[in-house]
Amino acid sequence: MTGFQDLVFDVELSLGIDVITAFVLGVLLFLIKVPTTEYSRKIAKAKNTIAVCFTVCAILFFTCLKYSGMEDYDVFASMMMFVITSMSSVVLSFSLTNLLDEKFIESDKFYLNIGLVIVLSMVFMRSFWLEKGWIRTLIHAVYIIIFLIQCISHITAFRKRYKEGIRKLEQYYDEDEDKMIRWIHFCYVIMMLTQMFILVYRLFPTGFMKVYNVWYAIFMLYFTANFISFLGSHKLTLDAFAYKALSGQELGMLFKGRNKKKEDESGKENIPEAANAEFKKLEHALAKWVKQKKFSEYDKSREEVAKELGTTREILHIYFTTKKGIDFKIWRTALRIEEAKRLLLENKELSANVIGEIAGFSDRSNFYRQFVKIVGCSPRQWRESGGKI
């Protein structure tokens, strides 16, 4: 009897840690404010959703504590943790995916998933008081199968949007800025492993639940810390995900009301006169920008560059796609490589890494990869050949 009381006390203590952790983190997330931009408001919705999730988890943890005197409490606690992980896996999956796709959490699938989890969780917990038999086994089997199906569908959706997020960053910045959202991927993997690990709980000796509870508290702390860091210091990523490049067909809409469009000999619409005037102004600004070697300033978004040039990122995008037939990112990278080629020959006392940074590459691996891609050899080989490769 003493051993059972010690076990209950240990589980109670671990659940108490979960209650405090979930409640404090939920309140903390509620209190944190994010910038009031169109995109950030949607991110704020994800933040508040996570806050509600942690608050509900705190309530469920506390409810589990109230039944600590019952027989088979360890079994009840494991079932309760399964319910908590099922619910939180849905909320956290949607929330992390929402960081990559701001419309994802507004999907009807989110509310459908939450509703399904709530209904199934109520039936699942009621089965604890049923006698052991095929009905109870069937309920557990259905709950586990649906949980696994949800996890697989969430993982599939997340991977798709994570790849899309990497692509957006590559389009918006010259550097390998995937490190800015790499934590999201890592958090997601840890989250799914944590949520699904409850399924193999029965394979461990009695008393393991207290270890799992403490681990879950650590996971919530880690997740929240990374989420807050993202909100506080990843403005560049928010800009990239909020960015919408205009196509050439939208050029007329951009200059609508400013001037009439020209027509070429075939009678088709051509570039508006207002756009041509804007492009000429931009060409002069670009020439001055290149002469001042502004292209070597890294960690700048297209919006920031556009402001320096006295234009907008939309016009900058359209200018390069319609006039130069090349993306701004590729053009700026080529300028940086040409600068690096010159510096490598003129400053042989400096290492290639330093040269790459001076030329505008904040990431060493990206500098080497871009140099080999454009020049056809490594920076070292270029320097040793005297630029004759």
Side-chain angles (χ1 to χ4, degrees), residues 60-235:
L60 293 177
F61 284 131
F62 182 76
T63 303
C64 187
L65 275 173
K66 291 179 63 177
Y67 291 92
S68 59
M70 69 164 58
E71 190 177 354
D72 293 332
Y73 179 67
D74 199 41
V75 176
F76 177 80
S78 66
M79 292 179 68
M80 200 70 176
M81 280 303 300
F82 196 7
V83 169
I84 293 172
T85 55
S86 298
M87 181 193 68
S88 59
S89 68
V90 173
V91 176
L92 299 183
S93 287
F94 272 81
S95 298
L96 283 178
T97 308
N98 189 73
L99 295 179
L100 307 172
D101 182 354
E102 68 271 19
K103 296 181 180 179
F104 191 67
I105 205 169
E106 297 177 349
S107 169
D108 292 338
K109 292 181 180 179
F110 173 70
Y111 302 105
L112 179 63
N113 274 259
I114 289 293
L116 182 63
V117 167
I118 292 175
V119 172
L120 289 176
S121 295
M122 293 176 64
V123 175
F124 178 69
M125 291 308 302
R126 289 293 296 270
S127 70
F128 175 78
W129 284 273
L130 295 177
E131 294 184 2
K132 292 184 179 180
W134 69 270
I135 296 179
R136 182 176 177 178
T137 302
L138 179 62
I139 292 174
H140 289 201
V142 170
Y143 193 84
I144 291 173
I145 290 172
I146 293 178
F147 173 74
L148 290 174
I149 291 175
Q150 279 191 328
C151 288
I152 293 172
S153 63
H154 294 160
I155 291 172
T156 302
F158 175 82
R159 289 190 62 182
K160 177 182 178 181
R161 285 164 175 81
Y162 183 76
K163 291 180 179 178
E164 180 67 15
I166 296 295
R167 186 187 67 80
K168 287 181 179 180
L169 285 173
E170 289 177 348
Q171 287 182 341
Y172 203 63
Y173 300 102
D174 285 349
E175 306 300 324
D176 289 339
E177 297 294 353
D178 60 304
K179 60 182 179 293
M180 299 166 67
I181 61 171
R182 199 176 299 153
W183 74 270
I184 300 178
H185 185 272
F186 184 74
C187 261
Y188 194 86
V189 172
I190 295 297
M191 179 198 71
M192 277 302 175
L193 289 176
T194 300
Q195 313 295 22
M196 299 185 70
F197 197 63
I198 192 68
L199 294 176
V200 297
Y201 162 69
R202 294 295 181 183
L203 300 178
F204 291 86
T206 302
F208 178 76
M209 182 52 59
K210 58 188 177 184
V211 179
Y212 184 86
N213 289 343
V214 174
W215 166 254
Y216 202 80
I218 296 173
F219 160 73
M220 288 189 291
L221 284 168
Y222 176 80
F223 179 91
T224 306
N226 279 279
F227 190 84
I228 292 174
S229 175
F230 176 84
L231 294 177
S233 62
H234 288 73
K235 181 181 180 298

Side-chain angles (χ1 to χ4, degrees), residues 3 18 82 98 108 208 210 264 313 341 362 378 384 388:
D18 284 335
F82 196 7
N98 189 73
D108 292 338
F208 178 76
K210 58 188 177 184
D264 58 23
R313 63 188 180 189
K341 288 166 62 178
S362 61
S378 68
E384 289 178 348
K388 296 180 180 179

Side-chain angles (χ1 to χ4, degrees), residues 172 243-246 251 254-255 258 278-279 281-282 285-286 301-320 328:
Y172 203 63
Y243 172 67
K244 179 181 181 297
L246 295 177
L251 182 60
L254 184 64
F255 291 94
R258 294 173 62 178
E278 189 77 29
F279 288 166
K281 178 182 175 183
L282 179 56
L286 279 169
S301 68
R302 300 191 191 205
E303 184 174 16
E304 291 172 311
V305 173
K307 287 182 179 179
E308 290 180 347
L309 297 170
T311 186
T312 65
R313 63 188 180 189
E314 292 84 5
I315 295 177
L316 182 66
H317 170 77
I318 296 172
Y319 170 78
F320 275 90
F328 172 76

